Amino acid sequence: MFLTISTTGTAARPATDLGYLLHKHPDKAQAFSTSHGTAHVFYPEADAERCTAALLLEIDPVALVRRGRGKGRGGAPDAALAQYVNDRPYAASSLLAVALSNVFSSALRGVCAARPERAAASLPLRVEVPALPARGGPELVRRLFAPLGWTVTADPVPLDTAFPEWGDSRYVRLLLESERLTLAEALRHLYVLLPVLDDAKHYWVSADEVDKLLRAGEGWLAGHPEQQLITSRYLSRRWSLTRQARERLELVRLAEADDSEVEDIDNAVADETETEEKPTPLAVLRREAILAALGTSGAARVLDLGCGQGQLTQALLKDARYTEIVGVDVSQRALAIASRRLKLDRMGERQAARVKLVQGSLVYTDQRLRGYDAAVLSEVVEHVDPPRLPALEYAVFGHARPRTVVVTTPNAEYNVRWESLPAGHVRHGDHRFEWTREEFRAWAAAVAERYGYEAVFTSVGPDDPEVGPPTQMATFTISSEREAKAA
């Protein structure tokens, strides 16, 4: 990864003052260790008229895989590529943003004891990034940087110059120019917007990322026209963190408009007297709907198919009416996490006899899954490639054939209500499809007819009058008419 920052000057105000502002001497080439490789700082040119500082980040791919494993989206920057073959060593991303903040930490804060007046003054600045991932294209790059006082040139990089008919890649060559910004402001813009454009982070996004975002966004993010997109992408679309960031930014905007301090605005209710209830997360509403359907069915022995990390299995285990619960997942790692969640290694003998975790694929028949009262496919079918859906349908409805099957899946129509979800995108990178309400009902009706079930549909979450609920659920029960004929 490579980035350069250039400025111009005169004999009275030499451009080499950039070295003081960055706290890196122009006559030296320096190297700094990072958690994923080595950052090099050097100056390709440095005289009174023009000075350029270069940051070269040399990625260690082995360290990237080891440290990224299991840490959110960064653990697999591009799921379609092998772990060691991806764009992380070459394209500007959150890796470069973190290196920028580590190597130029004082400059990022605007601190320079040797040249304080230069640190506080605007400079003629030119920033170049040869390879920048831009999910949203050159137009999004301009929408992000132009309102901050930059003149933006974002040239698309062709997929292959030998085959121009293939079109452009998602990368751009970025050139930013401005004479209105301080160096600290420029660095803070880059720190936030590089990972926003890449739309991925190489580390797990925790609650302290909100503070980092607001510190780096001080003075510009609250009034940015793309504030919602920036906060959502920077915080990896974690809704609770995004909401928290937006609320705090709104307070900043109101305080600035009123020429007041944030503390003077945000004082209507003391922390200890806050009584407003937070909205119930969709995942909780989904589990409650599933448990209600299972409770109505009278099931005692339940399959949690595609159990993932065991949240539903754990909820079932807390209810004594379920005498046997089997969690099934193809991922051994997910099952290991579920085992830790359930504390199987410390569970009493009687309780342990009620629950079992098994590895298996839902697109193959499995004799172990026959004879159960109910099965749950919670947010599972959308992860299956459409050509393999018939195999899953037969394995569950035809072969295992529980009396009750509960299926939940996203409602694609509701996606327009997620402000952080780009148009045309599915909610999760591994979703092979997402059904509209009509498509889901047609699929459920066909499955019910084919295997002798009856389907009842339930809305999960707030039911929008225009686009319906965020989650749709179908409860299949074996048709009493078909059962009577079989008898």
Side-chain angles (χ1 to χ4, degrees):
M1 299 183 194
F2 191 64
L3 175 149
T4 60
I5 303 172
S6 303
T7 188
T8 56
T10 63
R13 298 173 71 86
T16 48
D17 280 353
L18 182 63
Y20 288 103
L21 301 181
L22 292 173
H23 296 261
K24 302 294 179 287
H25 199 289
D27 291 340
K28 297 179 180 178
Q30 297 174 266
F32 304 86
S33 294
T34 74
S35 57
H36 297 89
T38 304
H40 302 271
V41 178
F42 56 95
Y43 290 75
E45 56 183 344
D47 55 42
E49 287 74 32
R50 183 176 175 85
C51 185
T52 297
L55 174 63
L56 172 66
L57 182 58
E58 187 178 15
I59 295 296
D60 178 354
V62 175
L64 181 62
V65 171
R66 286 175 178 169
R67 291 181 181 271
R69 189 169 289 143
K71 296 183 180 177
R73 298 180 67 184
D78 284 289
L81 301 175
Q83 286 182 315
Y84 298 99
V85 183
N86 52 62
D87 67 351
R88 301 298 90 175
Y90 314 106
S93 65
S94 60
L95 289 160
L96 186 60
V98 170
L100 196 76
S101 68
N102 291 341
V103 175
F104 300 137
S105 57
S106 296
L108 201 71
R109 300 195 307 273
V111 175
C112 181
R115 297 286 191 276
E117 74 289 348
R118 294 285 269 163
S122 58
L123 298 174
L125 291 171
R126 178 185 176 97
V127 176
E128 295 182 72
V129 184
L132 173 67
R135 297 181 189 271
E139 178 55 33
L140 179 59
V141 179
R142 284 186 280 271
R143 283 176 16 222
L144 294 182
F145 282 102
L148 301 175
W150 293 102
T151 299
V152 183
T153 304
D155 296 325
V157 176
L159 277 173
D160 193 319
T161 54
F163 300 95
E165 66 273 13
W166 289 0
D168 296 325
S169 68
R170 64 183 178 92
Y171 303 92
V172 299
R173 296 184 184 92
L174 177 64
L175 169 62
L176 302 173
E177 296 175 291
S178 177
E179 297 190 357
R180 298 163 43 191
L181 300 170
T182 66
L183 178 63
E185 289 172 331
L187 292 175
R188 289 198 292 266
H189 297 166
L190 293 168
Y191 175 75
V192 172
L193 297 180
L194 291 183
V196 165
L197 284 165
D198 187 28
D199 198 14
K201 283 201 169 183
H202 69 279
Y203 57 89
W204 173 250
V205 174
S206 55
D208 63 350
E209 289 294 303
V210 175
D211 294 325
K212 293 180 185 178
L213 172 62
L214 297 185
R215 280 198 301 270
E218 184 178 358
W220 63 271
L221 183 54
H224 198 292
E226 298 292 340
Q227 180 210 111
Q228 292 189 358
L229 182 143
I230 293 169
T231 54
S232 174
R233 284 195 178 190
Y234 184 88
L235 297 168
S236 294
R237 293 188 173 83
R238 294 195 60 191
W239 300 329
S240 60
L241 298 185
T242 303
R243 183 173 61 248
Q244 179 185 341
R246 289 177 185 170
E247 288 171 353
R248 290 169 62 179
L249 285 168
E250 179 61 15
L251 284 174
V252 171
R253 189 190 66 79
L254 291 172
E256 289 176 348
D258 198 41
D259 197 21
S260 305
E261 296 296 326
V262 170
E263 293 76 10
D264 297 332
I265 297 288
D266 190 24
N267 63 358
V269 180
D271 291 342
E272 61 271 16
T273 63
E274 185 176 348
T275 57
E276 183 179 353
E277 294 185 5
K278 296 181 179 179
T280 305
L282 182 58
V284 174
L285 294 175
R286 192 160 47 233
R287 282 197 295 274
E288 290 174 349
I290 292 169
L291 293 172
L294 291 175
T296 302
S297 74
R301 302 174 67 238
V302 180
L303 298 168
D304 183 4
L305 303 177
C307 65
Q309 299 180 12
Q311 291 93 332
L312 178 61
T313 302
Q314 185 179 44
L316 291 167
L317 194 58
K318 292 177 181 178
D319 194 326
R321 81 180 87 178
Y322 302 112
T323 59
E324 185 178 353
I325 306 148
V326 178
V328 183
D329 204 282
V330 73
S331 168
Q332 188 60 49
R333 181 173 176 274
L335 293 173
I337 295 173
S339 177
R340 290 196 295 271
R341 177 187 295 276
L342 299 172
K343 300 181 174 63
L344 290 183
D345 57 336
R346 289 177 278 168
M347 191 176 286
E349 185 176 344
R350 180 177 297 179
Q351 189 80 329
R354 294 175 56 214
V355 63
K356 181 168 58 175
L357 299 177
V358 300
Q359 185 177 23
S361 171
L362 302 182
V363 297
Y364 297 102
T365 58
D366 191 331
Q367 197 65 29
R368 297 173 298 176
L369 307 185
R370 290 177 63 87
Y372 285 83
D373 301 325
V376 177
L377 290 160
S378 179
E379 309 301 285
V380 171
V381 293
E382 64 272 12
H383 292 269
V384 179
D385 289 316
R388 308 195 75 184
L389 268 179
L392 178 142
E393 295 161 9
Y394 175 73
V396 175
F397 294 91
H399 185 263
R401 198 164 178 74
R403 179 170 294 275
T404 301
V405 181
V406 181
V407 179
T408 72
T409 191
N411 169 22
E413 296 169 77
Y414 194 88
N415 288 353
V416 297
R417 297 294 185 255
W418 301 121
E419 295 180 355
S420 60
L421 188 64
H425 284 230
V426 292
R427 297 184 199 176
H428 188 282
D430 189 52
H431 286 186
R432 301 316 199 250
F433 60 86
E434 287 177 358
W435 280 323
T436 64
R437 287 170 291 174
E438 182 179 352
E439 289 169 336
F440 179 56
R441 286 173 178 263
W443 172 82
V447 169
E449 173 64 25
R450 190 177 304 120
Y451 294 104
Y453 284 78
E454 297 173 347
V456 175
F457 300 94
T458 307
S459 298
V460 180
D463 202 343
D464 188 286
E466 295 181 1
V467 297
T471 295
Q472 45 193 341
M473 185 173 88
T475 303
F476 298 81
T477 53
I478 290 180
S479 168
S480 55
E481 181 181 342
R482 186 78 66 92
E483 195 174 26
K485 288 181 179 179

